[in-house]
Amino acid sequence: MEQSSGAIVRSYAKINLFLDVIKKRSDGYHEILSLFQNISLYDRLIITKIDRGLEIKSNVDIENNILYKTWDIFCSKFKEPEFGLRITLEKNIPMQAGLGGGSSNAAALLFYLSDQIGIHKKQILNIASEIGSDVPFFLFGGTAIVKGKGEIIEPLAPLTGYKVNIITSNGISTKKAYQSLNPTLFGKAPCSPYILYEAYKNRNITEIKRCTYNIFEKIVTKANKEISQNLKKLKKTSLISALTGSGSAVYGISFKEGEFKFIPRGIEYEKVKL
């Protein structure tokens, strides 16, 4: 084993251009219908090999970090690698914001491990949803319709030419947000995510405004005035403003001005000598 071999992995955030819940499943999960889009905001994982185990250091609190769960599940499904990993996790994606930062990190580690051990992408897809509902999407990345509890991914031709601004506030528990959903709200979107996708492709602003939807928006804005104010703020300078995931982040989309942009990937992976 070469101690200095490693990788630098960028794991990108996502926004939900569309998010509806269709029903609550018998297994306790919710059936979603969503249009996911990666944006150019990213975390960075600097990975080096060590003798055994997993060591993580980060610029944020890493207690119960999803990378530990990812490593444990990977090792339980496949034989434990003949090496350990030291990961420096540089977090830029706000946590508990609906931007998928943790899921993106988990997918990045899965991608690295599958490359090192020679496991096919289909095999790691099978365990990705055990780690987190959004993890499978990041293994595809770009633009996709996402169904089921997050494990059914329909990749689409990438959307390009859009800029994104993000405003975050205090984190929101995804679990609590889903628990607060009333079944009377299910399946009430004004159109399908496929129609919204075509509207983005065709730069049809009227349809983009009509079809942008997030089931959590009314619930969250009633309970959190700051999020409501952030949506109004972004709406003044954007084509649309909306909540992503169950919040707390809100985004505004425009053609020209924005800190981030739509990108066609969820992970960027570079082998390096460290």
Side-chain angles (χ1 to χ4, degrees), residues 224-264:
N224 191 312
K225 289 184 179 180
E226 185 182 2
I227 290 175
S228 180
Q229 290 168 353
N230 290 341
L231 281 166
K232 290 175 183 177
K233 182 178 179 181
L234 284 173
K235 195 171 185 179
K236 292 177 182 178
T237 58
S238 308
L239 300 174
I240 58 98
S241 64
L243 189 75
T244 181
S246 56
S248 65
V250 297
Y251 64 87
I253 291 176
S254 67
F255 290 125
K256 293 182 178 180
E257 294 183 6
E259 188 176 0
F260 308 108
K261 62 182 179 179
F262 285 13
I263 59 168

Side-chain angles (χ1 to χ4, degrees), residues 51-78:
D51 288 333
R52 289 188 63 81
L54 179 65
E55 298 176 7
I56 306 174
K57 62 178 182 177
S58 179
N59 59 330
V60 300
D61 179 13
I62 58 170
E63 186 178 359
N64 298 322
N65 188 275
I66 195 171
L67 294 177
Y68 291 114
K69 181 180 180 182
T70 303
W71 174 261
D72 289 342
I73 290 178
F74 184 90
C75 292
S76 71
K77 298 294 182 180
F78 307 101

Side-chain angles (χ1 to χ4, degrees), residues 6-7 12 27 43 58 76 105 129 163 172 198 204 208 245 261:
Y12 289 91
D27 60 7
D43 292 338
S58 179
S76 71
N105 296 164
S129 59
K163 299 293 183 69
I172 291 175
E198 290 299 323
N204 187 331
I208 289 172
K261 62 182 179 179

Side-chain angles (χ1 to χ4, degrees), residues 191-225:
C191 64
S192 85
Y194 296 96
I195 293 173
L196 179 58
Y197 171 72
E198 290 299 323
Y200 271 102
K201 274 181 64 179
N202 298 321
R203 305 288 197 267
N204 187 331
I205 297 171
T206 301
E207 280 292 87
I208 289 172
K209 289 180 177 180
R210 183 178 77 88
C211 291
T212 296
Y213 181 78
N214 186 323
I215 188 173
F216 292 101
E217 203 163 288
K218 287 184 179 179
I219 297 170
V220 170
T221 52
K222 282 181 182 178
N224 191 312
K225 289 184 179 180

Side-chain angles (χ1 to χ4, degrees), residues 59-174:
N59 59 330
V60 300
D61 179 13
I62 58 170
E63 186 178 359
N64 298 322
N65 188 275
I66 195 171
L67 294 177
Y68 291 114
K69 181 180 180 182
T70 303
W71 174 261
D72 289 342
I73 290 178
F74 184 90
C75 292
S76 71
K77 298 294 182 180
F78 307 101
K79 67 176 184 179
E80 186 170 345
E82 295 179 358
F83 56 83
L85 296 178
R86 179 178 293 118
I87 300 175
T88 300
L89 174 61
E90 297 177 355
K91 289 291 290 181
N92 301 301
I93 302 170
M95 295 183 289
Q96 288 191 316
L99 294 165
S103 296
S104 177
N105 296 164
L109 179 53
L110 280 178
F111 189 93
Y112 173 83
L113 287 168
S114 65
D115 176 73
Q116 291 295 303
I117 299 174
I119 295 170
H120 195 273
K121 183 179 178 181
K122 287 183 179 179
Q123 290 179 277
I124 59 170
L125 269 172
N126 291 336
I127 67 168
S129 59
E130 290 187 41
I131 299 166
S133 297
D134 289 346
V135 178
F137 164 73
F138 290 99
L139 292 171
F140 288 91
T143 309
I145 299 291
V146 179
K147 300 178 181 179
K149 63 178 184 179
E151 81 281 13
I152 303 170
I153 315 294
E154 294 181 21
L156 301 169
L159 294 172
T160 59
Y162 291 94
K163 299 293 183 69
V164 183
N165 280 313
I166 301 284
I167 302 178
T168 60
S169 53
N170 291 331
I172 291 175
S173 164
T174 300

